[in-house]
Amino acid sequence: SQTDTTTGSVPYSSNGQTRTWTYGEVLSRVESLAAYLESLALPRGSRIAILSENRHEWVVAYLAAVALGLVAVPLDAQATLK
């Protein structure tokens, strides 16, 4: 049996407000970014850096990378050079 990805939702916070994405919306965003990444013709196992603050879009980038067999390397946007 297949899971219905259009039901259910994922809460997230944006600008101090709680919002939700349906699972279908998350899947759509992941598939869209994955299609773009795939067009770059990166070989499986390639590292892809994700430089972002703690945001809901980070999850989309991570899932898209992993779906293509890429290695997601998170970088801390708050990090500073000492």
Side-chain angles (χ1 to χ4, degrees):
S1 81
Q2 278 192 320
T3 302
D4 181 1
T5 61
T6 60
T7 60
S9 61
V10 179
Y12 67 94
S13 180
S14 178
N15 297 324
Q17 296 180 0
T18 299
R19 301 172 189 223
T20 59
W21 273 347
T22 65
Y23 292 123
E25 289 170 324
V26 173
L27 179 61
S28 176
R29 289 172 187 251
V30 168
E31 288 174 337
S32 178
L33 182 56
Y36 170 74
L37 292 173
E38 190 170 39
S39 76
L40 299 176
L42 300 170
R44 289 179 64 82
S46 292
R47 293 174 188 91
I48 183 166
I50 303 174
L51 176 62
S52 175
E53 296 177 350
N54 292 336
R55 298 184 46 84
H56 53 282
E57 291 92 352
W58 186 95
V59 174
V60 171
Y62 178 83
L63 292 174
V66 170
L68 295 175
L70 303 173
V71 178
V73 180
L75 302 176
D76 184 356
Q78 302 297 321
T80 59
L81 296 174
K82 291 187 177 185

